[in-house]
Amino acid sequence: LVFGIMTGMAQGFSILISQYYGAGEKENLKRAVAKSYVLTAILSIIVLVLSEVTVQQVLQFLHTPENVIGLSLMYIRMVFAGIPIIAAYNIFAAILRALGNSRSPLIAMIMAAFINVGLDLLFVAVFGWGVLGAAIATVIAQGVSGIGITIAALWKNPQLFPKKEQRIFRKTTFSEVGRYAFFTCLQQSVMNFGILMIQGLVNSFGPVVMAAFAAAVKIDSFAYLPVQDFGNAYSTF
């Protein structure tokens, strides 16, 4: 659900940025980019703090079995520590797509996927780190993709460095960015929220059923991903 919100927010920013880019309005483009940075940073901090404070209560609300709740807490807190990196990937990937560059985000995502799988096998199967190893592998993979795409985006696109006067607070720009981001966040979060509610029922059946459901959700995500990405692409137009 958290990652769905972050993705939806970035997608909303890209809609406005692509409009300014297509219209050749460079000043408005830089202002929109600057406000996207600010809102992304603010939301990342809020989500990071809220997740740390409420994660145990959420797991209990979802009927997580006592014998796995400790491992669940460890995994979630480790992964959520990488929220700023995930936010950086989402915002710069969305901006690059808005500027017509869909190759760099795709390469970063493919690299992250291979790194994640490779490190999972290394940390879990070879080193025997278990859940902690899976969490560390995820954070490292996200870090490589997030930092890599940030460097690539800023290196090749000088317009993504807003000047001081373009970082000045303007209510209209914030409202425009926020309006687009709200609806895309809502769209991205609906399915994830539904899965979260079902997860609470699944958890009541114990760890074996939880593991089976988690595997099924991963398979379903692969099936749903192409449709979701088509939707993301069309939203920019």
Side-chain angles (χ1 to χ4, degrees), residues 13-14 17 20 65 85 92 140 178 180 205 207 226 228-229 232:
F13 295 156
S14 72
I17 292 170
Y20 287 143
I85 297 175
F92 282 108
I140 292 175
Y180 285 113
F205 292 101
Q228 183 183 38
D229 283 346
N232 291 340

Side-chain angles (χ1 to χ4, degrees), residues 71-151:
L71 294 174
S72 299
L73 278 171
M74 178 178 61
Y75 180 85
I76 292 175
R77 282 175 171 158
M78 176 68 72
V79 171
F80 276 14
I83 283 178
I85 297 175
I86 297 170
Y89 170 82
N90 285 333
I91 188 61
F92 282 108
I95 290 174
L96 286 177
R97 292 189 187 106
L99 300 182
N101 180 0
S102 59
R103 181 180 298 178
S104 296
L106 177 62
I107 292 174
M109 185 179 295
I110 292 173
M111 288 177 56
F114 278 107
I115 292 172
N116 200 346
V117 172
L119 292 180
D120 273 338
L121 294 173
L122 177 64
F123 293 161
V124 178
V126 179
F127 293 170
W129 292 354
V131 174
L132 178 61
I136 294 173
T138 300
V139 173
I140 292 175
Q142 291 169 344
V144 171
S145 62
I147 295 172
I149 199 169
T150 299
I151 295 173

Side-chain angles (χ1 to χ4, degrees), residues 10-200:
Q11 187 65 26
F13 295 156
S14 72
I15 295 172
L16 184 61
I17 292 170
S18 66
Q19 291 177 352
Y20 287 143
Y21 179 73
E25 300 179 14
K26 295 183 179 180
E27 291 299 314
N28 285 332
L29 170 65
K30 291 184 178 182
R31 289 192 182 96
V33 168
K35 303 309 180 288
S36 300
Y37 293 163
V38 173
L39 289 176
T40 299
I42 292 173
L43 183 60
S44 298
I45 294 172
I46 292 173
V47 170
L48 187 60
V49 173
L50 286 178
S51 63
E52 179 64 28
V53 172
T54 63
V55 61
Q56 186 164 358
Q57 289 77 13
V58 170
L59 288 175
Q60 292 172 345
F61 173 76
L62 294 176
H63 309 292
T64 306
E66 290 295 330
N67 59 333
V68 299
I69 195 168
L71 294 174
S72 299
L73 278 171
M74 178 178 61
Y75 180 85
I76 292 175
R77 282 175 171 158
M78 176 68 72
V79 171
F80 276 14
I83 283 178
I85 297 175
I86 297 170
Y89 170 82
N90 285 333
I91 188 61
F92 282 108
I95 290 174
L96 286 177
R97 292 189 187 106
L99 300 182
N101 180 0
S102 59
R103 181 180 298 178
S104 296
L106 177 62
I107 292 174
M109 185 179 295
I110 292 173
M111 288 177 56
F114 278 107
I115 292 172
N116 200 346
V117 172
L119 292 180
D120 273 338
L121 294 173
L122 177 64
F123 293 161
V124 178
V126 179
F127 293 170
W129 292 354
V131 174
L132 178 61
I136 294 173
T138 300
V139 173
I140 292 175
Q142 291 169 344
V144 171
S145 62
I147 295 172
I149 199 169
T150 299
I151 295 173
L154 296 177
W155 184 270
K156 296 183 178 180
N157 299 275
Q159 67 267 36
L160 299 184
F161 286 97
K163 297 178 182 178
K164 183 177 180 180
E165 59 271 18
Q166 293 157 344
R167 297 194 297 265
I168 297 175
F169 175 88
R170 293 196 178 192
K171 186 177 179 181
T172 54
T173 308
F174 266 108
S175 62
E176 286 179 329
V177 173
R179 184 173 71 251
Y180 285 113
F182 172 78
F183 288 108
T184 51
C185 278
L186 186 63
Q187 182 264 330
Q188 292 279 357
S189 303
V190 168
M191 186 187 73
N192 292 319
F193 184 76
I195 292 175
L196 186 65
M197 293 298 97
I198 295 173
Q199 185 71 56

Side-chain angles (χ1 to χ4, degrees), residues 217-226:
V217 168
K218 293 294 185 183
I219 297 171
D220 180 68
S221 296
F222 277 109
Y224 176 74
L225 189 60

